[in-house]
Amino acid sequence: MEFATFILAAQRGYHQSSESVIRNSIEQAVASEQAGFNTAWFAEHHFNNYSLIPSPLMMVAHCGGLTSTIRLGTAVCVLPLYQPQRLLSEIGFADIVANGRLELGVGLGYQQFEFERFGVDIDEAPAVFSEYLDIILKGLNQNVFEHDGQYEKIPPTAISVRTVQQPTPPIWIAGGAARMARAYREGHNFFVTAFHDGLETLTTLRESVERAAASEEKNVTDVKISLLRCC
């Protein structure tokens, strides 16, 4: 078992400036390394004070220069809100400046008001996520890639900023049963969340994980599972 810190960067009152919240979050990442945590994860949210981190990759890049051993992860990059071609270069850049310590978490998002303000249809988020993840995997694994999909049509394209970790950084997927099954099918890791809930929720989560593994004829332990708990 490994222990990690999930850094939300919440502004708990307007007596806190955004600068103080961000600087405290950076300090928390540094302290997590000193305390022996394996990974510091950074959230992504927009247009509210629930979380003040608009780009977890920017936090990875910055904290990469302040730490030396702790893994630094995105939890998560909300794929439907990105242009995947640009995101590929930013992933490569973050892994370089973090000296190969990037953990790449991706998800489809859930807050409708965020999607509305980006002009993205949240009802299409699962399909967009699936296609954008296809693009990310192509771009990370191929020196030159192309894509002809429902949402993106990309001619032969080279991503010059390549990740240090080859062929890719560890990839983590957030979401429900369909995303769990894909994780097992393709060998990715995934996140599950129980927040403050008790053993009944944990039992339900375990059953969901077991079903996802069985659906792909895999063992439950074939991938890493990260459980988020509030404490």
Side-chain angles (χ1 to χ4, degrees), residues 24-36:
N24 286 344
S25 298
I26 294 167
E27 184 177 346
Q28 186 178 351
V30 174
S32 296
E33 177 177 78
Q34 294 169 347

Side-chain angles (χ1 to χ4, degrees), residues 180 200-213:
M180 284 187 199
E200 183 177 343
T201 296
L202 292 174
T203 299
T204 301
L205 282 174
R206 182 187 179 99
E207 292 169 351
S208 298
V209 171
E210 290 172 341
R211 285 195 299 271

Side-chain angles (χ1 to χ4, degrees), residues 80-204:
L81 304 184
Y82 285 85
Q83 185 183 57
Q85 306 92 309
R86 180 185 179 96
L87 182 59
L88 276 163
S89 293
E90 294 178 354
I91 291 168
F93 183 91
D95 196 44
I96 289 170
V97 298
N99 296 315
R101 287 183 284 136
L102 172 65
E103 300 277 324
L104 180 61
V106 294
L108 54 83
Y110 66 94
Q111 295 192 348
Q112 183 165 343
F113 72 91
E114 294 183 343
F115 279 72
E116 289 173 348
R117 284 153 181 78
F118 279 111
V120 179
D121 185 352
I122 196 169
D123 292 334
E124 296 187 359
V128 174
F129 169 84
S130 181
E131 182 171 325
Y132 282 13
L133 181 54
D134 289 343
I135 295 171
I136 296 300
L137 293 171
K138 286 180 181 180
L140 290 173
N141 285 284
Q142 302 172 25
N143 290 329
V144 178
F145 76 97
E146 57 186 307
H147 182 79
D148 184 10
Q150 179 181 354
Y151 299 100
E152 293 288 338
K153 299 187 184 301
I154 305 171
T157 300
I159 303 298
S160 300
V161 186
R162 311 297 300 181
T163 58
V164 173
Q165 300 176 88
Q166 291 295 319
T168 74
I171 294 174
W172 297 75
I173 298 177
R179 265 70 66 188
M180 284 187 199
R182 178 168 184 172
Y184 276 110
R185 183 166 62 251
E186 299 180 357
H188 309 310
N189 307 316
F190 61 87
F191 302 105
V192 292
T193 302
F195 292 118
H196 293 284
D197 294 344
L199 292 178
E200 183 177 343
T201 296
L202 292 174
T203 299
T204 301

